[in-house]
Amino acid sequence: EAGVTQFPSHSVIEKGQTVTLRCDPISGHDNLYWYRRVMGKEIKFLLHFVKESKQDESGMPNNRFLAERTGGTYSTLKVQPAELEDSGVYFCASSHYQASRETQYFGPGTRLLVL
Amino acid sequence: AQSVTQLDSHVSVSEGTPVLLRCNYSSSYSPSLFWYVQHPNKGLQLLLKYTSAATLVKGINGFEAEFKKSETSFHLTKPSAHMSDAAEYFCVVSERGATNKLIFGTGTLLAVQP
């Protein structure tokens, strides 16, 4: 069974540009999460999809961030325009059931550097 | 609100000696607790999880953790460190609710000396 995959693995862009990150969850997992770790800080929740619906986007930092999950399969996270403080590692995770005991399986992350 | 505190940002041990990574949690109800590990340039991998079935939880690669409610702790241990254990370790609590989002500690970087 393939794990969670993320693309690209690294991205270097200039301030003001747009970047789109992609996450492919484990097949059959309805729950998809985005997390982020900025330099020197802890990993923090961004948002949660159940199938194609946003269940919770309370962690999204501002309206420069837009997440979608068309068809309830893969998800994209777009940052437009990117700012210096957006640099960090963006993780995607998926789980089958929606429960506190359920394991979330993480992808390798996308390392974003905004110059 | 739930939270976890990892008491050490860096831990260094010699190969073959025991590992202890400390984590305290705060929760108003019985928590679901996890330890994840991240090796350099890799993703987050689940080591083990506590979901109230047993207080001593065994994970992969010889790691285990003990849930102690009286001490609100969930420390990670391994009897004998291996060079391949060098990584960053995260203590995590799951927030109960519609989202079940994970709340991470700040991480402990484990170095293993030969």
Side-chain angles (χ1 to χ4, degrees):
Chain A
E1 177 182 271
V4 177
T5 57
Q6 293 186 245
F7 182 83
S9 59
H10 295 78
S11 180
V12 181
I13 62 173
E14 293 188 351
K15 176 182 172 180
Q17 290 186 320
T18 298
V19 63
T20 300
L21 314 181
R22 173 171 170 147
C23 168
D24 286 76
I26 293 172
S27 178
H29 281 193
D30 288 340
N31 295 279
L32 188 150
Y33 301 82
W34 284 97
Y35 294 85
R36 177 176 77 163
R37 189 181 197 188
V38 297
M39 187 71 70
K41 301 286 188 181
E42 66 269 33
I43 299 170
K44 286 195 173 179
F45 167 83
L46 293 178
L47 85 158
H48 170 216
F49 284 98
V50 178
K51 296 184 180 179
E52 68 276 8
S53 300
K54 290 177 186 174
Q55 180 74 29
D56 181 352
E57 51 183 333
S58 62
M60 295 286 263
N62 51 60
N63 59 11
R64 295 186 293 104
F65 289 75
L66 175 63
E68 294 181 325
R69 192 181 181 194
T70 307
T73 55
Y74 71 91
S75 174
T76 58
L77 179 64
K78 182 163 70 175
V79 185
Q80 179 182 28
E83 297 289 345
L84 300 179
E85 64 264 25
D86 301 332
S87 297
V89 183
Y90 290 77
F91 293 101
C92 176
S94 71
S95 68
H96 187 42
Y97 298 108
Q98 191 173 318
S100 63
R101 303 179 177 188
E102 186 73 5
T103 298
Q104 293 183 25
Y105 296 91
F106 282 79
T110 294
R111 284 148 183 80
L112 174 65
L113 179 60
V114 183
L115 301 175
Chain B
Q2 293 182 282
S3 65
V4 287
T5 301
Q6 292 185 245
L7 301 171
D8 307 292
S9 59
H10 293 80
V11 170
S12 182
V13 300
S14 297
E15 190 173 22
T17 65
V19 175
L20 170 64
L21 305 183
R22 298 182 295 165
C23 173
N24 285 359
Y25 70 90
S26 174
S27 177
S28 54
Y29 41 78
S30 180
S32 292
L33 293 161
F34 307 79
W35 276 98
Y36 280 85
V37 60
Q38 185 180 21
H39 288 92
N41 298 315
K42 300 286 187 181
L44 292 160
Q45 180 184 22
L46 179 70
L47 273 180
L48 49 83
K49 66 178 180 180
Y50 167 76
T51 57
S52 77
T55 56
L56 183 61
V57 183
K58 294 189 182 300
I60 61 172
N61 301 333
F63 284 94
E64 61 182 38
E66 186 171 6
F67 175 76
K68 291 187 176 180
K69 186 176 179 179
S70 61
E71 299 176 10
T72 61
S73 68
F74 189 57
H75 301 335
L76 182 71
T77 60
K78 183 174 180 177
S80 176
H82 191 271
M83 295 296 289
S84 60
D85 294 329
E88 190 165 18
Y89 292 78
F90 297 92
C91 183
V92 182
V93 63
S94 175
E95 185 175 278
R96 189 180 295 181
T99 295
N100 303 123
K101 61 188 174 189
L102 299 182
I103 299 167
F104 285 77
T106 49
T108 298
L109 199 57
L110 175 66
V112 182
Q113 310 298 329

